[in-house]
Amino acid sequence: MAVYPMPGTHDDRDALRAAFADHPAVAASGDGAAPQAPVQYAADVAGARLVCCDTTVPDEQYGRMDAERLDWLDRTLAEEPARPTVVATHHPPYPIGIRFIDDMGFADPAAFAEVIARHPQVVRIISGSVHRGSVGSLAGTVSTTCPSTYRQLFLDLTQPGRAAVTGEPAGFAVHLVSDDGSATTHFVPTGNYRPLMDVE
């Protein structure tokens, strides 16, 4: 399975580049770049296009796309206007409803939304950070977060809410992108469950 790494909240960009020095897209993102330059790139994945955005802010927990990164995203999306595209960010650009996650969320998502709105080939925005699956919308595009492969955050939608993890199973998301631009997302738990039972 191909891997497309991108930095998360606590990651050091240069350390990520060093760890994935053999990954062509990650290595190319640092060619001639200043230390701690954003790790962002586009890749072809099974006929669709994946655009990995770096939303991290060094030494901070919140995320943002500054003017330079937004300009990069706009130019990158303009290169392939007819190909169904998935845009990946670490910080989700929509409110989750969990207070402490939203407190360290995506700053100024409106500027990011303006870029996405100019590119109708974007069929999904996928994010991490939240440690549970969720579905939202940004600029008319379905946006999702992926379940954690470790522990899920407790879904406390009250204020101020409790910061805790649960015993819910780990999981992952599968995104099916068709040539016609339609997309479907499945959230899949991992672990042991009952055997399959045929229904037809």
Side-chain angles (χ1 to χ4, degrees), residues 60-172:
E60 299 289 348
Q61 292 190 329
Y62 71 90
R64 95 171 322 124
M65 291 280 285
D66 59 23
E68 185 176 337
R69 282 182 267 181
L70 289 171
D71 181 62
W72 173 86
L73 175 61
D74 200 23
R75 287 184 284 108
T76 301
L77 292 174
E79 292 171 356
E80 297 269 1
R83 185 180 301 209
T85 299
V86 174
V87 172
T89 66
H90 179 70
H91 300 81
Y94 62 94
I96 298 301
I98 299 174
R99 184 265 316 159
F100 79 101
I101 291 295
D102 289 337
D103 285 349
M104 56 184 182
F106 195 123
D108 192 18
F112 179 72
E114 288 177 12
V115 174
I116 297 296
R118 289 196 288 269
H119 301 280
Q121 80 272 22
V122 177
V123 297
R124 266 303 172 279
I125 300 167
I126 61 174
S127 305
S129 189
V130 178
H131 286 246
R132 69 179 306 114
S134 72
V135 180
S137 179
L138 184 89
T141 301
V142 174
S143 305
T144 68
T145 60
C146 184
S148 171
T149 56
Y150 174 53
R151 299 284 297 268
Q152 310 310 310
L153 285 184
F154 177 52
L155 183 59
D156 189 342
L157 304 178
T158 65
Q159 295 295 327
R162 181 178 179 185
V165 294
T166 75
E168 295 172 68
F172 58 94

Side-chain angles (χ1 to χ4, degrees), residues 18-43:
F20 292 95
D22 60 343
H23 192 288
V26 173
S29 75
D31 285 349
Q36 295 300 324
V39 179
Q40 51 195 20
Y41 56 89

